[in-house]
Amino acid sequence: MSPDLNPMEHLKGILKRKGHCLSQTISTPSAQPAESLPDNFIEFHSAPDRVVDGSVVRVRYQCSRPCQLTVEVVVSTLRKTDLVVFRKKWISSAPRVHWIRRVLLKLPPSILYQQDFFNRRVLDAQNVTVRAWLDNFNNSSKPGTYQGSMLRVYKVLQTTPLSDRPAKPPTECPSWSAHLTWQTSRDRIHQCQHESDIIDMLTFPLASTDEHFGVIRRLNPFIDRSLERARRHAVTKPRVTLSVWIYLLEWCDMRLCSIIHHLDGKNLFDSILMLLTDTGDVMIQARVTTGEDDAFRAIITLPLRKWIRLDCYIQDSQVLLDAAWDDTSRRIHYEFKRGVHFNDTDGYFVIGGGRYMQGFRGYYGPVRYYRFGTEEVKNPLQPKSTLEELDRTHQECQEMKVLTKAFLQEVIKSRPSSSFNKSKTPFIRPWRQTQKKICNQTWTREKQLKYSNLFNFLQSSENEIREGSLSMKKLGRALFERSVKEVFMKNQTNNSISFNSTSLLREASCFGNHRASLLLATIHLSGLGHSVDQEQGHVYSLIGASGDNRFALMHAGYKHSQGIDGFTKDLELAYSYYSNMGWQSSEDISKLFESKQNVIHYVYLSNPEDLNRLNHKKNDGFQYEKFRAESGDADSQRNLAVMLYRGENGVSKDTESAVKWFERSAMQMKDPAAMYDYSIILMKGEGAEKNNSRGFKMMQKAAAMGSIRALNGLGWYYWNILKDEKRAVKYFEEAALKGNEDGMFNLGIYYQNGNHPDRPWKNETAAFQQFLNASWHGHVAASVEVAWYFSTGNLEGVSQDVERAVIMLKKVCEQNGHLGFMISEALQAYLQGSWQEALVTYVLAAETGLGLAQSNVAHLCEELNLTPDCQWRYHNYSILHYDPHPAALLKMGDHYYYPPSSTRADSLSLVGRAVSMYGRAAVAGSPQGMFNLVLLAKQGHALPLDVYGFFNLSRHDEQHVVVEKILRRCVEAEHEDAVTPCSLALLGVQMGKALSRMTQSGAQLVLAYASLLSALVIIVIVTLQSCLSQRVPSQHVRARTSSASQDGVSGSREQNGIMGETFRAAGFLQFITLRGEQCLRQMGDLAVTVSGVCLCVFWTTLLYHLL
């Protein structure tokens, strides 16, 4: 029966009239046969088109087994995405029955009505979506989510603008005074703080690569109504000014590169675009009022390696471009045929390269934008000293490159003719007379002295230069390897490290080795062996990032995301660096089998258990898998292959052996996962001969045996090899429906590009949903796509959320295989005793923001007796992450609780920080953190709010309740079969509670006192009996001695009757004493028995209260 039939509505009316309530949702089986639908199915049978309160949604569904279903209404505003305003859940327990569920939407007034006295908090909804999903029912306490569901469906509803919404019908009458106050204040124009029309779009230098990654800036409307009104009026008659500082290392390697460009809400180029050409000219493009694009080219020829300021003035159709560098200035004037259309709040601006246009290689200085124009631009080069030092460094590098190139050319041309020529070169003595004077105009004595370290290195490497093993491309790496050994010198006597000059590191940086750039930045920023110099640190951070080095990009992104070491906290800047690294990571993950990549092994040097698991010869798990694999177990063969392929569990990477084990496992035709892995190896030719047809057949069999990944693999084969997109999409959809993240991503690409065979148009909303679902499963490329949508906020229904984008990309970057390889190198160096190399490598990884490396650097700083600042710097950095390691939190907590004597901070504030650190460690699941919290709570310190929520505490709970709940959770987190501090502390708390309960009853209180008295009696009696037991043997000895004496002197006794009587009296006293001791012992035994019974009763009662 359908829920809309008249009998049911009639019944509903009857129940209402009788005062009963009827559920607003009714489910009935549909008349449609279930055989025509899949086993699991969900769709909207009917749904409203607009946001209307009381509208009805009918959900049609079918489950193959008991399932849980949910209907939600979510709202997106300018600041929030997916804000749930309605939710209805139910469980369907009838399998394979087709149902239609009627759900009445009860929406909040905040999205339905205007603002008034009773509806003061309203939401300016940009997008409202009703969605439903189906998931298998389980008894887990973890709630299901839309992204994690098995099947889902959604519909976007039309919204009513805030100004057109109706007024909410009154349900009650306010008081006269309250209504009068509201009427007089509702239209009051609140005085806004001063709002400037000048926007500093960039205040910290930006390193730009010749790729598609720049800084995204989205401008908001003015808060001040008069300013906003003026801005809107100037859209068709703009008067704006844009000032940009740039530093070019190269001109554009394509026809056009972006300096700064603007995209509208539809991702189309809008006014204004400032572009760089391949000849150094500047092109200005704008959209005119007719909707067409117009552009002109300014023939300027901008110089390389000089700071240049470009000022662009726009007034209606007039454009004035000023370019200035050193003492040179150029001015270009142009007039468009139509007025310029310029709306700066539509879409977003990109400084540098963007998704649709690449940037140039160089740097940006300050970028300032005047929204209402200006007659005089005030945009000085800031920070001046840093940017001038950056220029000086590049000039020196250019000079070194020219000199070195000439040196290498002459060495290659020269042929040693004598022993003198073999040891000397013409370059290191140009002021002497030689048979042929070479490059005297280039190699001056001053330059040789200035770059003496470089010359000495080149001189010592002449043989390698002649043999061709050392070229300009390889020079940077060779200098870096030499410099690391010279900069960080290990002292064998006290196991410490000393620091020397960094000149070779600077020269390695000049020759393109940006590990050297990153290490220089680290040394200057951290003061590692040198004084802190943030200016130099910033210079080499920018140089490394401009060289597109993975780790330097992560370093710059991490510093800007946290705002540390003098870097401004700017999430958009952080995103520009992380997006570049994220894209490289999505490329690298497809080549993870290469020798220079590895999976990151989370081994903490301070944890002995982690170190013990490293040696695969001692790894029981590896040996066990190897034994079972050799015995023919397919699962073990695959597990062993994965270990060898990825280099996991302390096993060295061995692709050749891994492929053999993959083949042996797959050939048993038992494990579809192994068959899929081997088919991929055959198709890509990774470690085996490429064989598409054999791989395809193997993949078909794996898919037939239930491998979901094989379904996606078949789609990939039809897409790339057979070029059959219709069948490819079919497999992608099937894989995505079953939860495969690669299938979701590939399907998203089809939607994004508009290549779906059945829906051949671009659908970025559907693409975003697929990317988002895949990112929830950890898909790297999908996470990069989702982060881009969050960074721009240009997709309908997706608000800009740069922080979320940065967090997603940071997680992606920390999965990079090259970073994993660096961690493996550092770990191997540490295990081999080369702590000098381990420190350098771990420091480089730590500067990328990897918490593991930061913790290990802190540990090495402690072991190598480096300055305390080194240790606490990296411990402090490791706790800035979204999920810091508990050990680092405990270390910082101890640092605050037991501060050094030199610390001047207030002791109470330090204890508060310690409580915060211990609280975060406890919430992360650390038993030590929980135990420390208990100790601090007993001392009366207030606990953090997140601790109360985690342990289900209330601020009104008494101290013993708080302590007991935390200790119970601590015991659960520890090993159950071990006696731990938490278990002992919990036992003490529970015994205290039991004693407290006993003292509340008079009889039990008497029992408690009696037990104390009994214990005292037992102690006294046992002591007396011990003394008596020592006395009795001595008395027996004296008695035997007296008897012997009596036998020897019997004659004397007969002669002396008085003495005989005396001895008889002594025997009688001895008899009385022995009888008294016997009675006393019996009474003592009786007292001990009674006391024991009393104690047994007491402990039985105590255990009763305890349990």
Side-chain angles (χ1 to χ4, degrees), residues 137-196:
F137 176 72
N138 54 52
N139 294 321
S140 173
S141 59
K142 186 176 180 181
T145 61
Y146 178 77
Q147 287 80 11
S149 60
M150 183 172 61
L151 295 173
R152 62 192 73 86
V153 64
Y154 71 94
K155 181 178 181 179
V156 179
L157 307 182
Q158 298 178 17
T159 59
T160 304
L162 190 61
S163 57
D164 296 339
R165 293 181 187 175
K168 181 182 179 183
T171 56
E172 55 184 323
C173 294
S175 65
W176 179 84
S177 58
H179 188 67
L180 179 62
T181 303
W182 169 254
Q183 289 293 335
T184 55
S185 62
R186 60 183 297 185
D187 297 325
R188 180 185 299 168
I189 299 176
H190 298 279
Q191 293 294 326
C192 300
Q193 295 181 354
H194 174 69
E195 193 172 7
S196 175

Side-chain angles (χ1 to χ4, degrees), residues 174-244:
S175 65
W176 179 84
S177 58
H179 188 67
L180 179 62
T181 303
W182 169 254
Q183 289 293 335
T184 55
S185 62
R186 60 183 297 185
D187 297 325
R188 180 185 299 168
I189 299 176
H190 298 279
Q191 293 294 326
C192 300
Q193 295 181 354
H194 174 69
E195 193 172 7
S196 175
D197 68 314
I198 303 173
I199 297 179
D200 290 316
M201 301 181 73
L202 200 62
T203 58
F204 194 90
L206 167 69
S208 172
T209 61
D210 54 351
E211 294 177 306
H212 298 263
F213 313 103
V215 177
I216 295 172
R217 298 292 191 195
R218 192 177 186 95
L219 304 185
N220 295 320
F222 284 105
I223 300 174
D224 189 297
R225 295 181 182 179
S226 59
L227 291 177
E228 178 60 16
R229 194 180 305 113
R231 187 198 66 81
R232 290 187 178 185
H233 179 73
V235 167
T236 55
K237 293 184 178 181
R239 185 177 183 270
V240 297
T241 304
L242 186 64
S243 177
V244 184

Side-chain angles (χ1 to χ4, degrees), residues 862 868 871-872 889-915 917-918 928 931-936 939 941:
E862 185 177 3
Q871 177 185 354
W872 297 116
L889 294 169
L890 292 172
K891 277 281 189 180
M892 290 305 299
D894 294 341
H895 179 64
Y896 289 132
Y897 194 75
Y898 306 103
S901 57
S902 59
T903 304
R904 298 182 180 179
D906 179 49
S907 59
L908 289 177
S909 65
L910 290 176
V911 172
R913 296 180 190 177
V915 173
M917 294 296 108
Y918 292 143
Q928 182 66 52
F931 186 77
N932 292 351
L933 272 187
V934 167
L935 296 180
L936 293 171
Q939 296 174 10
H941 295 288

Side-chain angles (χ1 to χ4, degrees), residues 83 127 156 206 379 495 792 858:
L83 183 64
N127 177 275
V156 179
L206 167 69
N379 186 24
N495 199 31
T792 64

Side-chain angles (χ1 to χ4, degrees), residues 287-403:
R287 180 179 297 175
V288 296
T289 53
T290 59
E292 299 173 346
D293 294 329
D294 201 354
F296 72 93
R297 181 169 183 163
I299 309 298
I300 300 177
T301 311
L302 300 177
L304 300 179
R305 289 179 290 281
K306 289 184 180 296
W307 280 109
I308 307 164
R309 193 174 91 174
L310 299 174
D311 298 334
C312 182
Y313 303 83
I314 299 177
Q315 185 170 0
D316 197 3
S317 61
Q318 305 284 330
V319 179
L320 184 65
L321 179 65
D322 285 344
W325 61 91
D326 293 342
D327 297 328
T328 304
S329 61
R330 302 282 178 86
R331 170 165 288 190
I332 305 295
H333 178 267
Y334 185 81
E335 182 175 1
F336 290 111
K337 296 179 181 179
R338 306 275 190 216
V340 174
H341 180 277
F342 187 77
N343 184 0
D344 59 10
T345 62
D346 183 19
Y348 57 93
F349 290 85
V350 181
I351 302 170
R355 168 160 288 205
Y356 306 105
M357 181 175 290
Q358 76 172 51
F360 63 86
R361 184 166 177 265
Y363 307 97
Y364 283 85
V367 178
R368 177 166 286 186
Y369 170 49
Y370 297 83
R371 302 183 82 171
F372 291 138
T374 184
E375 297 294 334
E376 180 184 1
V377 173
K378 296 180 180 179
N379 186 24
L381 187 65
Q382 295 292 344
K384 187 175 181 180
S385 58
T386 301
L387 297 182
E388 287 179 347
E389 179 64 22
L390 180 65
D391 174 48
R392 188 190 65 79
T393 302
H394 274 291
Q395 298 297 342
E396 286 187 356
C397 287
Q398 188 65 18
E399 188 177 47
M400 275 193 282
K401 288 178 182 178
V402 171
L403 298 178

Side-chain angles (χ1 to χ4, degrees), residues 165 256 445 571 622 761 775 951 1033 1072 1082 1097:
R165 293 181 187 175
L256 292 173
R445 183 174 185 177
L571 293 177
F622 176 82
W761 58 83
S775 69
F951 292 102
I1072 294 174
Q1082 290 175 352
V1097 173

Side-chain angles (χ1 to χ4, degrees), residues 5 36 75 84 112 149 200 202 238 246 266 355 371 380 446 577 596 730 781 846 944 1035:
L5 294 181
S36 61
V75 174
V84 179
L112 296 172
S149 60
D200 290 316
L202 200 62
I246 60 173
K266 298 179 180 178
R355 168 160 288 205
R371 302 183 82 171
E446 291 75 12
Y577 294 119
K596 294 295 183 181
K730 173 189 173 184
Q1035 290 177 345

